[in-house]
Structure formats: C-alpha cells, structure tokens
Amino acid sequence: MILNKKIVSGSIWGFIGSVFYQLSGLVIFVVLSRLLTPIDFGTAALAIVFVELTNTIVKYGLVEVVVRNKSNVNIENSIFFATLLIGIASSLFFIIASPYLEVLFEAPSLAISLQILSIVPVMQALSTVPEGLLKRDFKFKALAVRLLFSSLFSGSIAIYLAYASYGFYSLIIQKIISVLLLLILVWKSISWRPSFNLSACDILNIFKQGQPILLSSLIGQGIFRFVELIIGFFLGVAALGYFKIAGKLLDVIVQFTVKPIVDVSFSAFATLQSNTSELEACFTKFITTTALFALPIFVGGFVIGDEMVYLVFGDKWSESGVIFSILCLSGFSASLNYFFAPLCHSTHNSSIPFRLRIVEFIVVIGLVSVFSQYSIYHVAYSNVVTTAILSLGMLLILNKKFCFSIDVIIKALLPSIVSSLMMGGLLYIVLYLFFTDTTPTLKVTLSVLIGCSIYFLIYKVIFPERVQEILNNLKNLKG
C-alpha cells in the first residue's frame, strides 16, 4: 500500500513537473525566438547538441544503476567518481577539439561556445548520484520543483541577455545556469556525501552495469542529435535554427495530445499482457482515442503551418513554417508509433523496440545524409518517410509477434484519418477562397473554429456508430 502511494504520488508529480516544465520552456522559447536570429539559434543549438550527446555518455546509464541498487555506499561512491572522471575527460575534449570542430562545421563562434560549455559535463557528472537517490526514494516532487525553478530562472536570465543583444551567448549562458542551479538544488536535497573508499574492481563493475542502458540511450538520443549535426554540417547553422523552431512546435503538439495518453498506457498493457484479445482491444482503444484528437491537429498544422509559426515565433521564421507543415505529415504515424514501445516493454519484449531503434537510427542517418544535400525541406520529408517505414514495420511485428489483426488496427484508425483529410481539404478551400488576405492571427483563429466544426460534423455524419464508441472508450480510460 505504501509503495502504491509512492508510485501514484511520484507519477502525479512527474506529470505536473513535465507539464509546467514544457509550458514554461515554450514561453521562454517563444520570447527568445523573437529576440534572436536564426543564426544565433543555430549556433547555440549546434554547440548544445554536443553537450547533450556528452551528457548521455557522462551519466553512462548510471542514474538507473543508483535507482536499482538499494543503499549500497560502495556502488554510489564508485558511480560518483566514475562519472566525474568521464565528465572531466569530456570537458577537456571540448576545450581541445572546439577549434577543429568550428573549422569542420564552418560555424563561426562554435569554438568559443563549446569552450564556455565545457564546464557542463563536469556539473552533469556531479548530479548523477543525487538524481538517482531522489528517484530511488520516489522524491519526484523535489525533482519537479527544482527542474521548474532552474528552467524559469535560467530562462529569465537568457531573455534579459537576449534583450541586451548578447545573441547566441544568451542561450549558452542559459544552459550553464540551468545545469548549475539544478546541481546545487539536488545536492541540497540529499544527505549522502562521497568518500574516498574506492575500488577499481567496483568501478569496472559499474561500467558493465551501465553499458546496456548507455547504448540504448545513445541510440535514442543519437537519432535526434545526429540529425541536427548533419543539418549543421551540410546546410549551416541558420538552417538548423529553422529546423529547431519547427521541431519545437511539433513537439508541443505531441506533448499535449499524444504523450499524456502514452504515459498511462504502460500500466494498462502490463495488466492485460496475458490475454491477447483484451490486449489487442486495449491497444486499439488507445490508438483510436489518440487519433481522434491528434490527427486533426496535425492536418490543421499542415494546412496553416506558416500562419501558426508566424503567430507564435514571428515573421523572420517563415522558413520554419514550411518545415513545420511538412513535419506534420508524420503525425499520421504518431498514434501507432508512440504506443508500440510501451506495449513491448510491458509484455517483456523490450528487445524489439531496441532493435527497431537501431534500424531507425541507420535509416534516419542515411536518409538525412542524402536529403541534406538538397535543402532543409528535403530533410523534413526524410523524417516523414522514416516514420512511415517504421509504422509499416510495427504493423508487421504487431501481427506476427502479438497476433494483432492489421485490418482491425487500420479500421480503427480509418474514421479519424478520413475525417481529418476531408477536414483539411475543405479547410484549405475555405481559406483559399475567402480568407487569403486576412491577418495570421485571424486566419489561425478562424481555422481552429472552422476546422473543429467541419471535423466533428464529418465524423458524426459518416461514422455515427463510432461516436458513442469513442465516448465509451474515454470513460473506460478515465476509470
């Protein structure tokens, strides 16, 4: 009973922290996008890509090792010094290699950015054990509050610096302040302190425990980070800045439409894992419910992507609007793709999404490397192609491994797909015929009102029997 209360409390605080962190981050991101140029964003983004990849290596999957090893002082000491050594080595790498990376990527100011950020790997290393201890003790409230505070404070500093014309330095300093504040706050939340009782054998054993987690994390992070590196290398920092803005807006849609339902799916799948028919029915209900709300938003984003980006970020990001519209096409795969991994993990098939991640990594890097020879828009299309290929692969796995019917899944998604596409077509015609000269604010407002009305009207008229079924599914999910 006590454990259940901790789990529920931790889940709630994790969700609250994530929501407020996303909202505060979005507001700060929007303000900064209006003060900085695409080159500023791209330069900082390219430098921070290296930091984020290094963060995965520095922590080496050892946060999870702390969590699963109960009160073992020797292990905690070993993890502390092991990550600290990796952090120091990473910092030295940034200092030494930054001039060569600047020349390689032809990105002015990349060297000074990396040299300033070279302190970050050490700070991230120092936070590994405290973060693991807080998670082990289910102190997600402490983590959530500290994460939100560090985000708001560092974001406020960045906005001030951007307003004072510090350019990309404002984003670099924001990253450093955020990591530093979080480090100080998590250390104040724990009583544990390191000792010099070390063993080389213990440290080697620690690396062995963390290696599988590291590889999995690197593949997951690498898919996104290496794409950004490739864009920066072939198309320049300005193109990377445009891509980051479009990706941020797409991520906001996912976080508030798909992710909340995905977060609760694991428990439901785990409960039903021994009953194939009920598991299939549950999976189908999840993707149907998600598609009902997410698909029309993605289609709407495709139709009025330019206006949405203009309204949120300003007219200087017009190229991001086109990129965002293209990326919205990948939303047709989101309802299926995001639930696949929780289904596999909950049924003790974690090796499947890991192998699929490897395939995804190879496909993404290959396609992006080829398409980046043309334009940033071609890179966005490569993302859509990748998600479509993954969806087909997932459908085949669901059929062969889990004995799910592909016909049932497609039929479940069909009403939302048909209604969304018809809505998108009608919305485009209405906007083209009657609202071509309206302001972006009015156009977005009218599109939301008209689009919602058209979508639910089409859904109710063409698929009336599904309306009641969806309502029943929502009640079951709530229960």
Side-chain angles (χ1 to χ4, degrees):
M1 182 63 70
I2 294 174
L3 179 60
N4 287 337
K5 288 182 179 179
K6 286 184 177 181
I7 293 172
V8 171
S9 175
S11 300
I12 292 172
W13 276 107
F15 175 75
I16 293 173
S18 177
V19 168
F20 280 98
Y21 179 73
Q22 289 289 337
L23 286 173
S24 64
L26 176 62
V27 172
I28 292 167
F29 195 85
V30 169
V31 175
L32 289 172
S33 70
R34 292 180 172 273
L35 295 172
L36 301 175
T37 67
I39 293 178
D40 288 331
F41 255 97
T43 300
L46 187 58
I48 291 173
V49 165
F50 287 101
V51 173
E52 294 298 332
L53 280 172
T54 306
N55 179 38
T56 305
I57 297 172
V58 167
K59 294 194 173 180
Y60 209 88
L62 297 178
V63 172
E64 289 78 6
V65 175
V66 173
V67 173
R68 71 189 185 197
N69 286 278
K70 302 297 182 183
S71 301
N72 191 323
V73 177
N74 290 333
I75 288 179
E76 291 157 7
N77 272 325
S78 299
I79 290 173
F80 177 82
F81 287 103
T83 53
L84 183 57
L85 287 173
I86 300 174
I88 293 171
S90 301
S91 296
L92 291 174
F93 169 79
F94 281 155
I95 294 171
I96 297 170
S98 56
Y100 303 101
L101 291 172
E102 181 175 302
V103 174
L104 179 65
F105 282 85
E106 298 180 354
S109 304
L110 178 61
I112 186 65
S113 300
L114 287 173
Q115 287 167 355
I116 295 172
L117 286 167
S118 63
I119 188 63
V120 172
V122 174
M123 293 192 293
Q124 289 171 330
L126 292 172
S127 69
T128 301
V129 174
E131 182 182 340
L133 291 174
L134 289 173
K135 287 183 176 181
R136 189 173 72 190
D137 295 334
F138 289 90
K139 294 182 179 179
F140 290 93
K141 178 180 178 180
L143 284 171
V145 172
R146 284 154 180 75
L147 183 64
L148 180 60
F149 176 77
S150 63
S151 172
L152 289 173
F153 186 82
S154 62
S156 301
I157 297 295
I159 291 172
Y160 170 77
L161 293 174
Y163 187 77
S165 302
Y166 278 83
F168 68 89
Y169 287 109
S170 58
L171 297 172
I172 300 298
I173 294 172
Q174 177 192 16
K175 180 67 177 179
I176 293 173
I177 293 175
S178 175
V179 176
L180 177 61
L181 270 178
L182 198 56
L183 173 64
I184 294 171
L185 293 173
V186 294
W187 271 99
K188 289 187 68 175
S189 302
I190 63 170
S191 59
W192 178 88
R193 294 294 181 266
S195 66
F196 289 96
N197 183 21
L198 295 174
S199 166
C201 183
D202 286 341
I203 291 178
L204 290 174
N205 181 50
I206 285 299
F207 282 134
K208 288 180 182 179
Q209 290 188 51
Q211 188 175 19
I213 303 171
L214 169 67
L215 292 175
S216 180
S217 299
L218 273 178
I219 292 172
Q221 282 283 333
I223 291 172
F224 305 104
R225 303 306 177 190
F226 277 102
V227 166
E228 294 174 354
L229 288 177
I230 292 170
I231 293 172
F233 182 79
F234 287 111
L235 298 172
V237 292
L240 178 57
Y242 290 125
F243 191 83
K244 288 287 287 186
I245 290 291
K248 180 67 176 181
L249 192 55
L250 185 73
D251 184 60
V252 169
I253 294 175
V254 171
Q255 290 294 329
F256 289 98
T257 58
V258 181
K259 199 66 166 60
I261 302 179
V262 173
D263 287 340
V264 301
S265 65
F266 182 89
S267 298
F269 295 149
T271 303
L272 301 171
Q273 59 180 295
S274 59
N275 191 316
T276 302
S277 60
E278 289 189 10
L279 187 63
E280 180 182 13
C282 181
F283 181 83
T284 304
K285 287 179 181 179
F286 271 118
I287 63 173
T288 303
T289 304
T290 304
L292 174 67
F293 298 105
L295 279 184
I297 297 176
F298 285 119
V299 172
F302 174 76
V303 175
I304 57 167
D306 285 346
E307 289 77 9
M308 289 177 66
V309 170
Y310 179 91
L311 183 62
V312 177
F313 299 108
D315 59 347
K316 62 185 172 185
W317 298 100
S318 57
E319 289 193 40
S320 296
V322 181
I323 299 169
F324 172 71
S325 291
I326 297 171
L327 291 176
C328 280
L329 293 173
S330 63
F332 284 95
S333 304
S335 297
L336 173 66
N337 293 6
Y338 277 92
F339 288 100
F340 182 79
L343 175 69
C344 292
H345 292 313
S346 64
T347 55
H348 304 282
N349 290 290
S350 297
S351 61
I352 295 176
F354 178 71
R355 291 198 295 267
L356 202 61
R357 274 290 192 181
I358 296 175
V359 173
E360 181 183 2
F361 181 83
I362 296 171
V363 172
V364 167
I365 299 305
L367 287 177
V368 172
S369 297
V370 172
F371 280 81
S372 60
Q373 305 302 311
Y374 301 97
S375 72
I376 190 65
Y377 307 122
H378 287 81
V379 173
Y381 278 118
S382 73
N383 181 275
V384 177
V385 172
T386 302
T387 55
I389 293 172
L390 287 174
S391 294
L392 291 175
M394 288 176 186
L395 283 173
L396 293 175
I397 293 171
L398 288 172
N399 179 250
K400 292 184 178 180
K401 180 66 179 179
F402 296 94
C403 299
F404 288 5
S405 170
I406 295 178
D407 290 339
V408 169
I409 293 174
I410 293 175
K411 287 178 181 178
L413 293 172
L414 199 60
S416 295
I417 294 174
V418 171
S419 301
S420 297
L421 289 175
M422 291 181 68
M423 176 212 73
L426 291 172
L427 180 62
Y428 177 81
I429 293 171
V430 170
L431 294 177
Y432 180 77
L433 292 178
F434 303 107
F435 302 106
T436 53
D437 298 325
T438 56
T439 63
T441 302
L442 181 59
K443 200 168 186 178
V444 171
T445 304
L446 290 172
S447 298
V448 172
L449 295 175
I450 295 171
C452 288
S453 302
I454 292 174
Y455 175 72
F456 287 110
L457 182 63
I458 291 173
Y459 205 107
K460 189 173 183 180
V461 171
I462 301 180
F463 307 101
E465 72 284 354
R466 294 298 300 274
V467 175
Q468 188 59 47
E469 184 180 340
I470 291 292
L471 293 174
N472 291 336
N473 288 343
L474 289 173
K475 292 178 181 177
N476 291 335
L477 288 175
K478 184 179 179 181

